[in-house]
Amino acid sequence: MSAPATPARPARRHDPGRRDRLVDTALDVIAERGVTAATHRAIARAADVPLGSLTYHFDSLTDLLAAAFSRHVDTVAARFDERMRAAPDRAAALEILVEHLTGDLLGSPRDLVLAVELYVAAARNPALRAVTQDWMSRSRRSLERHLDPVNAREVDALVEGLVLHSALSTDPMDAAQIRSALRRLAG
Amino acid sequence: MSAPATPARPARRHDPGRRDRLVDTALDVIAERGVTAATHRAIARAADVPLGSLTYHFDSLTDLLAAAFSRHVDTVAARFDERMRAAPDRAAALEILVEHLTGDLLGSPRDLVLAVELYVAAARNPALRAVTQDWMSRSRRSLERHLDPVNAREVDALVEGLVLHSALSTDPMDAAQIRSALRRLAG
Amino acid sequence: MSAPATPARPARRHDPGRRDRLVDTALDVIAERGVTAATHRAIARAADVPLGSLTYHFDSLTDLLAAAFSRHVDTVAARFDERMRAAPDRAAALEILVEHLTGDLLGSPRDLVLAVELYVAAARNPALRAVTQDWMSRSRRSLERHLDPVNAREVDALVEGLVLHSALSTDPMDAAQIRSALRRLAG
Amino acid sequence: MSAPATPARPARRHDPGRRDRLVDTALDVIAERGVTAATHRAIARAADVPLGSLTYHFDSLTDLLAAAFSRHVDTVAARFDERMRAAPDRAAALEILVEHLTGDLLGSPRDLVLAVELYVAAARNPALRAVTQDWMSRSRRSLERHLDPVNAREVDALVEGLVLHSALSTDPMDAAQIRSALRRLAG
DNA sequence: AATGAATGAGTATTCATTCAT
DNA sequence: TATGAATGAATACTCATTCAT
């Protein structure tokens, strides 16, 4: 009887950076199948890692999900702030916001889905609410580079509503409509 | 509690209207503990009804949840349309919308929670998406009694964003801010 | 390919009295392998029943263990009280106690083991402490048919110590020694 | 707490006496949370020592527990023998025994709990039975400084029963009752 | 028509021990 | 010498659904 040539997983006892990889994989699973499907098992399978590895690196599933969402928020918020900072004036900022919305958020299903999943999960899980609140405040601070605080908050709410509408509606608004609405609201 | 140890219920074999009662109870459970906690068992216990009764009346849990959300949307959308219809003009309509938002939606945790739960559930469950789309279009049609279609859609998006913000934020916007934003957006 | 003649478990969908059987089986597992080995899985395997059946009939493992120990205590305490009641006088009662100790408790490994397992489990598990306290008080009441209350309690403590000694010692005391000690203590 | 997220400990690579400290800590954990909660992880955390350190110093968890119980028995048995040796006569010895019981054993929850935990663990774990037997024989030898061997064993059994009763009962016996019972049994 | 029992797949989590560094 | 990472088996428990009565 010959030994199997390539066993499924070749005993990868040394795997530095696995913790990081798990966070990324968790995010992938959330994006592809939703937070409620992001179980220990599903993530372990997607990362090709034994089940016990997850609970070794993260005390609870919530911890892992929070780490994953945090990383996502970091990426998205940093990118958004960079763009706002690069905008020379208010008009340019609004135009960049439109691009950001239609391009990154509404354009890529992944970012959109992750945003909605985070909203949803945070609604029931206090540990995740810290992540959404961080996101909100960073987003608002970025807008405040060009808008006054009250206005920044209003625009932020509209952005969120547009995201949600886009996720659930069959015929989302196009760039021109979004631009027009933002300009009116941003005064 | 161990199963056969609960003879409390007196075997109510004839119980017309039970199906209706189950739908209402399902909604209560969703509002109080979230969609993911709305299991057969939880609903059966809350309705004081044997477990088998649920699968007798509903082919699947999704069917029951869809029925529950549908009933909720019917109630809310009808109430909103009634109010819009009663508004004499556009200005009055906007003011009624502010009241609707700060009173019913943002004021009562129950309606807010149910809205977000429905958003979330629908994001992953196609059977529920029909319900959210019905809600959106009815809401838009109500707004179109006073706003042009494009504007109605923008306002609807802002409303949704405000609901979400209110659910997740620590310091939600007050009525004056909401009124001001709506007026600007509704031109 | 011929169908297997006798499949492992032939789909016993109807099995009245299973709850009772589970209690008995749990007691067997405790007696044979100890309380800490009395897991859902172990009991399910011993009873030839699917795992889910245990959690259907008992809300928690503790509930099941409590039911098992309760049944055991009922049996043992009833038998002891019957004997005490049958004793015509104090001297006869003491002699019967000796027989009870050397025969049932110290003689049969099963009863001895179950007693010690219950002591141990109760020391950490409040839900089981009710069972031990019930046992203690029933045992004392039986003794009080022939002994004054203070004396009954002393004798009860000695009996318990003898049980423990017998369980842990390599050379337990014999009937004559036990008789002598009891007579002295019972004055 | 997620594993790599705790850099609190400053990598104490040189730590003579750590083995000893681990034994003491194991005993603390047993006393506070019971033998079944005395896991590698729990002890490592309590001793502020990396997990691998436990398996480095002890071949198995049982080895560590045995070392811990042994040390405890050494302490307790030595203290008891010292007291028995100091007693001028039989009457004094009995009185010291009463004090020992009401003071050390029944008075301090720690010693009582450790005794019961050891009883329990030994009932199932042969490696620990050597420890209990050592304890019993040392205890008996101490008593034999003033009592004949048969009597010493009887008294020892009563003591054990009183310990158990005290651990499990809601209304333990007081010093006077214990003194009276011991005197009668010790003749 | 109605339901209690049954079931099997799934959930998060714990843990003793092994191993590569 | 010492340890952080890794692992696989085990734990209690939940649940949608099926089915015999």
Side-chain angles (χ1 to χ4, degrees), chain A residues 96-175:
Chain A
I96 283 173
L97 181 54
V98 172
E99 276 163 31
H100 173 74
L101 260 173
T102 54
D104 288 349
L105 267 181
L106 308 189
S108 105
R110 185 184 155 96
D111 280 9
L112 178 60
V113 163
L114 284 175
V116 174
E117 290 292 336
L118 175 54
Y119 294 162
V120 164
R124 285 286 163 192
N125 190 336
L128 295 177
R129 217 149 319 148
V131 181
T132 56
Q133 278 165 17
D134 178 48
W135 195 2
M136 280 189 195
S137 70
R138 287 173 74 173
S139 165
R140 212 142 58 183
R141 247 176 296 135
S142 297
L143 289 171
E144 286 172 8
R145 291 178 180 281
H146 300 281
L147 271 48
D148 71 90
V150 167
N151 212 222
R153 174 185 285 217
E154 295 166 344
V155 167
D156 207 36
L158 177 59
V159 166
E160 225 136 87
L162 291 171
V163 166
L164 211 59
H165 256 191
S166 168
L168 301 177
S169 165
T170 47
D171 56 337
M173 289 163 74
D174 61 30

Side-chain angles (χ1 to χ4, degrees), chain B:
Chain B
M1 209 176 304
S2 84
T6 357
R9 198 175 345 100
R12 186 171 3 180
R13 302 286 300 212
H14 184 61
D15 179 13
R18 171 177 289 187
R19 198 179 186 282
D20 257 21
R21 201 154 52 80
L22 288 177
V23 172
D24 287 337
T25 307
L27 213 47
D28 288 344
V29 172
I30 294 169
E32 274 159 39
R33 297 164 45 201
V35 142
T36 66
T39 66
H40 275 134
R41 279 163 173 70
I43 298 167
R45 211 172 301 137
D48 189 28
V49 141
L51 182 58
S53 185
L54 294 214
T55 49
Y56 176 77
H57 286 290
F58 300 90
D59 280 354
S60 74
L61 186 58
T62 296
D63 280 6
L64 172 51
L65 298 182
F69 277 126
S70 274
R71 177 168 301 178
H72 175 64
V73 163
D74 270 351
T75 310
V76 172
R79 190 176 53 196
F80 184 57
D81 192 61
E82 204 179 308
R83 290 179 185 181
M84 281 297 117
R85 186 187 324 211
D89 57 24
R90 177 199 194 78
L94 284 181
E95 190 51 31
I96 284 172
L97 181 53
V98 171
E99 276 162 31
H100 171 74
L101 260 172
T102 54
D104 288 351
L105 267 182
L106 308 189
S108 105
R110 184 185 157 97
D111 279 10
L112 178 61
V113 162
L114 284 175
V116 174
E117 289 292 335
L118 176 53
Y119 294 163
V120 165
R124 288 289 161 191
N125 191 333
L128 295 177
R129 212 138 335 137
V131 181
T132 56
Q133 278 164 18
D134 178 47
W135 195 2
M136 281 190 195
S137 69
R138 288 172 72 174
S139 165
R140 213 143 56 187
R141 248 177 294 134
S142 297
L143 289 171
E144 286 171 8
R145 292 179 179 279
H146 301 281
L147 271 48
D148 71 89
V150 166
N151 211 220
R153 173 186 286 218
E154 294 165 343
V155 167
D156 207 35
L158 178 58
V159 165
E160 223 134 89
L162 290 171
V163 166
L164 212 56
H165 256 193
S166 168
L168 301 177
S169 166
T170 46
D171 56 338
M173 290 163 73
D174 61 31
Q177 279 179 299
I178 291 175
R179 180 179 302 111
S180 153
L182 279 175
R183 283 200 183 136
R184 229 169 314 131
L185 193 63

Side-chain angles (χ1 to χ4, degrees), chain B residues 1-5 41, chain C residues 19 56-59 63:
Chain B
M1 209 176 304
S2 84
R41 279 163 173 70
Chain C
R19 195 180 189 279
Y56 172 74
H57 284 289
F58 301 90
D59 274 0
D63 279 8

Side-chain angles (χ1 to χ4, degrees), chain C residues 120 164 168, chain D residues 114-123 132 135 160 163-164:
Chain C
V120 163
L164 211 58
L168 302 177
Chain D
L114 284 175
V116 174
E117 289 291 336
L118 176 54
Y119 294 163
V120 164
T132 56
W135 194 4
E160 225 135 87
V163 166
L164 211 58

Side-chain angles (χ1 to χ4, degrees), chain D residues 30-106:
Chain D
I30 295 169
E32 274 159 40
R33 299 163 45 201
V35 141
T36 66
T39 65
H40 275 134
R41 279 164 172 71
I43 298 167
R45 211 173 300 140
D48 188 28
V49 140
L51 182 58
S53 185
L54 293 215
T55 50
Y56 176 75
H57 286 291
F58 300 90
D59 280 354
S60 75
L61 186 59
T62 297
D63 279 7
L64 172 51
L65 298 181
F69 277 126
S70 274
R71 176 168 300 179
H72 175 65
V73 163
D74 270 351
T75 310
V76 172
R79 192 175 52 196
F80 183 58
D81 192 61
E82 205 179 307
R83 289 178 184 183
M84 281 296 117
R85 187 187 324 210
D89 57 21
R90 178 200 195 81
L94 284 181
E95 189 52 30
I96 283 171
L97 182 53
V98 171
E99 276 162 31
H100 171 73
L101 260 173
T102 54
D104 288 350
L105 268 181
L106 308 188

